[in-house]
Amino acid sequence: MPAMRDRILTALAQLVWRAPILILLTAVFLAGASIYYAATSLQLNANLDDLIAADRPYMQKYRQFLDEFGDLEYIYAVVENTGDVQRTEAAVEALTAKLRAITELPGVYCAIEPREQLRIASRAMAEQELEDLAIASGAFHALMSDHPTPRVIGDANEYLTQLIRTGANLPEDQQRRLGAAAVLLLKTIAAADENSASRREVRFLIGADRRSEYFESDTGRFYFITIIPVKDYSTLSVIEEPLRKIRAAIAETRAEFPGINIGLTGKPVLQADEMATSNSDMTKASIMAFVLCALLFIMMIGGILRPVLAMVAFGIGSAWTYGAATLLVGQLNLLSIVFMLVLVGVGLDYGVHVISRYREFRRTQSVREAIRGTMLTAVRSNLTGAMTSSIVFFMALLTTFQGLRELGLIAGVGLLLCWASMALVLPALLVLVDRKRGDAVTGIAPAATQAKPDASSNMGVLRWIVLRPTAVLVAAAVVSFGLIAAPGSLSFEQNLLNLQAQGLESIEWERRILEDSASATWFGAVSADTQQRALEVTERAKTKPSIGAVRSVFDVIGPQTVKRDELRIKLHEPIGAQTRPANAPQTQPAADWSIDDLRKAVTSLEAIVLGALRRAPAEARELARLGMELKTLIAQLEQNPSIRFAIDQTVHGIGQSLRLLLEGDQLDLRSALPDALRQQSISPSGRYLIMLHPKDDVWEYEPMSRFIREMREVDPNVTGAPITHFESLDEMLRSFVIMSILALLAIICIVGLDFRRISDVALAILPLLLGLAWTVELMGLLGVSFNLANFFSVPILIGLGVDSSVHILHRYHEGGPTRFSLGATRRAVILSSLTTIIGFGSLIIAHHRGLRSLGIVMAVGSTACMLASVIVLPALLAWLESRKSGRKDR
């Protein structure tokens, strides 16, 4: 196999030498086609749900929930109650009005409005109240007429007259209906006096006395405005434009109400702010990394032209990768979008090794010979490195996390394409440039220098390493044990809020809400197909210590019972069926009313009171009180006739409220519900939603774990954002672990196929394991914990850490006086490691704490692996060779 590989590489060298222009034209054409294909077909999918494989059971439940109830991940505008309730509520209303003017916000809710309260009143009021209203439904026709006051007074007098004249002959139920209707009619008149008891009794029907029920936290400290935005998953932040307009509206409201604290939070805002922060951090870090890597490349390689050629070849490989991503996946998700960071951190290294070895060969050989030598050394080692690095990412295909699978496929293919570009395009560019310059060698080192053994040359630190390998190995062991004994411990941070940038407004408001009420923005979802089932779930959930508020449609309505259904039917019975006997004369309603009409009603009431004192003293007292209120109102009318207007307004308002109540009662339950509660209460198919809120801060792992366990005890089919959040984080962590283990095994196999000796495999893997151990130990010493952002560094370091060892071992096996000094390979290994350190380490400037920790871990890990490769491995090779030759001093 090695012979076949060498023949293939030799053939590639011949192709590069003979047809460099053809290679470049083909490469550029494919790059252009790839860019066009990607620009027209590659989609961005920023939907976090799509990071999870659709076949995962917990995700299937969640998608069924979304299909049934829709997206319930709200944005929350939060207004802090300063103590001045009226001013706070005015700020809430002002902000709500501004938000409703934004077309990208189809749903904005701050309260249950009075009209909405009336629409569900027959379902919400206590059964006794509903029974009292149903008995008095004979009054409804008059109250809802076009000119209600004359009709109200006229019907009241008619009903009272019937009771006085023929009441004894009427069935008891008929008497009750006539009396209740008359009393309700007269109470609507007496309610014009704002201080009357009648007004308090019919207050729920007086629109002016009904207030909006604002959405408040349990403590009343915060008012919430729930916002449903239009989401565009083809943009990074998903809600970029709506969010900009929301924040502009909040700024305007703050200016109108100085001293009122207003904030914005909710999962969509947290995700948008995280993407904005991380995107900004990545852009700044990439620019800084590019500049520093370019300067380092120029300084260590010498000159500008060849580093530029390497960047051109890298650009072509990157373009091919975009085309491959479009062809193989068709989209970039929020994980796979970082594949360019991987290519920059790894793909450029192949160019470093190619140019370093090519320069070394050109000192003594022609262009053609140098290309062939580079192919058989640097390109060969790069192939092993590319395979080990790409196999790390391909191992993601064996995990269950969809987002990681897509990243693994794109990044793995991208690394192989970058290797191909550095193996063909870069040598072709070098051939064209050096042919133009001339085929003469660039220079030959002095013979004396060539003849000296490597150990006696001026190698500085490396010379000392080779001469004293035992001391180096002992020092490495001491360092390792010293780091183990050093103070500090390694932990895993699973609270995603702690990975966000400090000072973000959305994070601060989320924490303030958590301090006030942990249940505000998280909820588990249980759906039930019957009312009985929903009530059972609610009662079970209330017994669980980790479950806080339990919300459902039954927070605003009463349970549906046979009695309630019968009473609701009675609300709509024709007036004649309840009050007038079949032979009762039909009177025409009066066009106006007078004080005398009221006096007549009072007189009738007094007569009924006298008759009821012995039979029903409590009712008699109630009627007497109503009579006194009417007398007071008559006296006020005599003094101030303009009170007639107040009476007309009150009666008209009550009639309008009754109309809304009866119209809402005839609607199906879902249609009758307030707009803010409809979607989150009952699905279009009629299923009930029970929302289980946590009692504790479930951003922390342990409270979240308890919360989910107890929700599943309530209902095994529970779903919602807490479930997908918890399960996906665990699945991602497991995927990283599986990916790392499988990658390590695959790398051992690839290195074994390359070197075909167990000893070389061990030598290649040892620096990697040592570097990883140092990395973990240094993280504990530095107080850097693993998290879901930087844990991704483990498989990357496994793929990258072995590359340097492979190059060094290949150079060692070439033999000769440079087998320990390593010639240009040493410089290339150091340079490629430094570019990786800079490429990822530039993230240390990030404000996003997760990205910053990734930069720290990658910088520390890359440095550790480099030191293990360029110091420990040469010392180990020298020690093994000295033992083999039986000589301690070389």
Side-chain angles (χ1 to χ4, degrees), residues 53-129:
D55 60 352
R56 305 303 295 155
Y58 69 90
M59 199 62 202
Q60 289 176 338
K61 293 177 184 178
Y62 185 63
R63 291 189 183 279
Q64 290 170 1
F65 162 73
L66 291 178
D67 292 339
E68 186 76 27
F69 291 95
D71 185 3
L72 298 181
E73 287 189 353
Y74 297 131
I75 294 174
Y76 294 95
V78 189
V79 181
E80 188 170 13
N81 187 352
T82 60
D84 186 343
V85 174
Q86 186 175 0
R87 189 164 180 266
T88 301
E89 291 179 355
V92 170
E93 291 289 350
L95 177 56
T96 301
K98 290 180 174 64
L99 295 174
R100 285 176 176 166
I102 300 174
T103 56
E104 293 91 345
L105 305 178
V108 178
Y109 311 107
C110 68
I112 300 177
E113 305 293 340
R115 292 173 61 88
E116 296 176 317
Q117 297 170 32
L118 288 167
R119 220 164 51 209
I120 60 171
S122 64
R123 295 175 170 95
M125 65 177 61
E127 285 190 355
Q128 184 58 55
E129 292 178 309

Side-chain angles (χ1 to χ4, degrees), residues 866-887:
M866 177 185 70
L867 293 176
S869 296
V870 300
I871 294 178
V872 178
L873 181 56
L876 184 57
L877 291 170
W879 183 77
L880 290 172
E881 186 170 307
S882 67
R883 284 180 57 86
K884 184 177 180 181
S885 63
R887 290 181 288 114

